[in-house]
Structure formats: C-alpha cells, structure tokens
C-alpha cells in the first residue's frame, strides 16, 4: 500500500548519504499505501452520503477518529497493533472524490497494522473479522492537510474498510540487556562499528559490498525501543548490501551464512545523531542480524 503503509520500511536500512529516496531493505513502510486511483476513473465507486462529515451516531475516540459499523462481523478477536491484517477498502476525500480502492483493483490489501497511517492502526483494532466499518480520519492521523504529491489525498479522509482476516504477530524479540551501550566484550572496527557474534555460522564465504543478501533482523534505539523487525513481520528482508546504511554495509560483510550478530552502529554510520523525519531513529542503533543467505 503506497499511501496506507509506513516509511520505515522504510528507509530504516537505506543509505543515509543518498539524496534520492534510499532503497528499502524490506517490504511494507512510516506510511506507504496503494497507488492513488484517479477520481475521474470510470469505475470509481460512489461516495457515501455522509462523506462530508461524520454523522451524529458515529463512535468517536479521544484521538479524534470517528467510525460507524456498516456490517457486523462474525469474529470475536480484535487485531493487535503489530498483527498483519487482510482488508478490502475504498478511500474518499470529503468532497466525494475516490482516491484509492482495493475493491476496484479486485485484490485485497495485506500489511502489518503498525506500518500504516495512525488512523488505520487505531481504527482496525476496533474491528473483528467479517466487519465492515466506515472511518472518518482527521488529517493529523492520516497524511496531513497538504497533499504529499499532486493529486494525493489530504485533510480528513473517509474509508470503508472490511476486515477479511488477520495473522497474529510472532512474539517480539527480547530487548538486549546490553542495548544501552557497547559492552566490553564487543569487537570494534576502525570506523567505530562495534559487534558481538551471538550464534556462529556454518558458512565460510563472506558477502561483499555488491552482494545481495537475505537476512532477519531487529533494530532498537539505546533506550530499548524497537523500531523495526523483519522477525515481527515474519518475512526475511532481501537487499543489495551496497544500498543500505554504512553500518550494515560494513557489518554484514563480517558475517557468514547462518551467523547471528549484534551490532552497535554509531549515528554517523546510520541516520545521524539528530532527529529526522517522524518515525526515523537517530543516534546509536543496535541491530541483531541473522545472515540467512548470500544470494549472489
């Protein structure tokens, strides 16, 4: 989803020195969503009668999100913020223009619930399988009041969402006990990168900076906050080793297949030491990386 999904997927691992949008190491990302469908498309779905504003009988939350059940569900469980959901949806602006629809494409969307706009992350946790709900999502829980690109959605958005299914997220990886600072038993390179092998690998070949690699990883800030994890998505990441942050390019070359290593990457080799775009980590970052395969 190009508008509905998030950007950490970021450029979490992408090259911090690139001026263009860096390559993404893993699928979804702070908020990508489906491609915008031209409102004048002949197969655009008509807007609901209450598209301009939430009706008086809509449920409202403290955040400003409003919603109304338009079809009761058959399930009893609600998805969690890190679960993966499968949905059909259609989105309109309050002037009635449809900007996107999985229904029109004929293909449901599937994504981790914490990788979408805030209004979706909060709203879908109110739902059960089989339920169809209409949401009125204020700009601060969506894409803001200004279009991110010409023709893109902005302001309050209205979505009809049907929850088709959900997949529970695996247990979150434990926060490392040494996440706050580099331990004394860690090895260090001339660049300032520090690392400690957690599980020895069975391979003998090391990847090069031009290799394509397949990995599982989890990343934390030094206060123990997890900001990204392929493990939680249940899907390994594949990417060219030369297209990620410097700490990854250097560090993964030290590994062999089957190895799991913890890295302490200084800000200068990641995303810098000062806050950047919302959702992007800064300062020293800690990653547990498992090198599953050197693709080429």
């Amino acid at each position: 989803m190009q508008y509905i999904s998030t950007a950490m997927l970021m450029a979490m691992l992408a090259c911090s020195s690139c001026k263009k949008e860096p390559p993404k190491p893993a699928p979804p990302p702070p908020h990508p969503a489906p491609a915008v469908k031209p409102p004048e498309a002949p197969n655009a779905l008509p807007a609901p009668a209450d598209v301009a504003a939430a009706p008086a009988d809509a449920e409202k939350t403290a955040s400003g999100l409003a919603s109304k059940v338009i079809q009761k569900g058959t399930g009893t469980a609600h998805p969690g913020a890190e679960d993966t959901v499968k949905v059909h949806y259609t989105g309109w602006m309050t002037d009635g223009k449809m900007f996107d629809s999985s229904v029109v494409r004929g293909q449901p969307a599937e994504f981790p619930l914490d990788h979408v706009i805030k209004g979706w992350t909060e709203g879908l946790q109110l739902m059960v399988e089989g339920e169809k709900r209409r949401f009125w999502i204020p700009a601060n829980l969506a894409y803001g009041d200004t279009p991110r690109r010409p023709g893109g959605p902005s302001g309050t958005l209205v979505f009809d969402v049907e929850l088709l299914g959900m997949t529970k997220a695996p247990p979150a990886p434990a926060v490392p006990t040494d996440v706050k600072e580099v331990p004394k038993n860690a090895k260090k390179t001339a660049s300032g990168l520090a690392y400690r092998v957690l599980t020895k690998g069975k391979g003998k070949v090391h990847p090069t900076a031009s290799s394509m690699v397949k990995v599982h990883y989890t990343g934390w800030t030094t206060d123990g906050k997890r900001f990204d994890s392929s493990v939680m998505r249940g899907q390994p990441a594949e990417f060219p080793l030369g297209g990620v942050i410097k700490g990854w390019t250097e560090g993964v070359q030290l590994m062999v297949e089957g190895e799991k290593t913890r890295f302490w990457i200084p800000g200068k080799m990641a995303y810098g030491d000062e806050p950047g775009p919302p959702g992007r980590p800064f300062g020293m970052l800690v990653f547990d990386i498992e090198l599953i395969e050197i693709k080429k």
Side-chain angles (χ1 to χ4, degrees):
M1 298 177 50
Q2 203 180 25
Y3 267 97
I4 295 183
S5 298
T6 176
M8 200 145 1
L9 258 176
M10 297 185 351
M12 276 302 97
L13 305 176
C15 176
S16 59
S17 62
C18 299
K19 293 183 179 180
K20 296 182 178 180
E21 182 68 19
K24 299 175 176 63
H31 303 284
V36 173
K37 189 76 174 179
E40 67 275 16
N43 56 351
L45 300 178
D50 51 11
V51 72
D57 61 346
E59 301 174 30
K60 295 183 180 179
T61 69
S63 69
L65 178 70
S67 68
K68 183 177 181 179
V69 175
I70 52 181
Q71 174 183 296
K72 290 185 177 181
T74 55
T76 56
H78 298 270
E82 294 180 325
D83 294 341
T84 294
V85 296
K86 184 176 183 180
V87 302
H88 255 319
Y89 68 93
T90 299
W92 298 270
M93 295 178 68
T94 53
D95 61 2
K97 292 181 180 179
M98 188 192 87
F99 59 87
D100 192 23
S101 177
S102 68
V103 177
V104 170
R105 288 194 298 277
Q107 183 176 359
E110 195 165 357
F111 48 85
L113 198 48
D114 61 345
H115 282 162
V116 293
I117 56 175
K118 292 179 180 179
W120 274 60
T121 302
E122 178 184 353
L124 267 76
Q125 291 183 74
L126 302 173
M127 301 178 69
V128 296
E129 288 186 353
E131 181 179 316
K132 189 173 182 180
R133 187 179 286 243
R134 182 166 297 148
F135 293 99
W136 290 263
I137 302 179
N140 66 310
L141 299 179
Y143 308 111
D145 289 308
T146 304
R148 295 185 177 184
R149 64 180 182 181
S154 61
T156 295
L157 303 180
V158 181
F159 285 95
D160 277 3
V161 183
E162 181 181 4
L163 180 56
L164 303 175
M166 68 179 89
T167 303
K168 286 293 181 182
V175 179
T177 56
D178 49 12
V179 72
K180 292 184 178 181
E181 57 185 6
V182 178
K184 293 181 179 179
N185 62 344
K187 296 181 180 179
K188 296 181 181 180
T189 69
S191 67
L193 178 70
Y195 66 99
R196 182 165 68 84
V197 175
L198 304 177
T199 304
K200 291 184 178 181
K202 297 180 180 179
K204 296 182 179 180
V205 178
H206 296 270
T208 67
S210 61
S211 296
M212 176 71 70
V213 296
K214 182 178 182 180
V215 304
H216 256 317
Y217 69 93
T218 299
W220 298 270
T221 50
T222 53
D223 60 0
K225 181 180 179 181
R226 172 171 43 83
F227 58 84
D228 191 24
S229 177
S230 68
V231 177
M232 293 297 293
R233 289 192 294 275
Q235 182 176 1
E238 295 185 23
F239 51 85
L241 198 49
V244 293
I245 57 175
K246 293 179 180 179
W248 271 63
T249 302
E250 177 183 347
V252 178
Q253 290 185 74
L254 302 173
M255 302 176 70
V256 295
E257 289 183 344
E259 181 177 314
K260 187 174 181 180
T261 300
R262 181 166 299 151
F263 293 95
W264 290 262
I265 302 177
K268 65 180 180 180
M269 302 182 73
Y271 307 107
D273 291 308
E274 300 298 327
R280 183 175 234 180
F282 62 95
M284 186 171 74
L285 304 179
V286 181
F287 283 96
D288 279 1
I289 302 174
E290 178 187 1
L291 179 56
I292 298 171
E293 182 183 359
I294 302 171
K295 304 288 287 188
K296 61 178 180 178

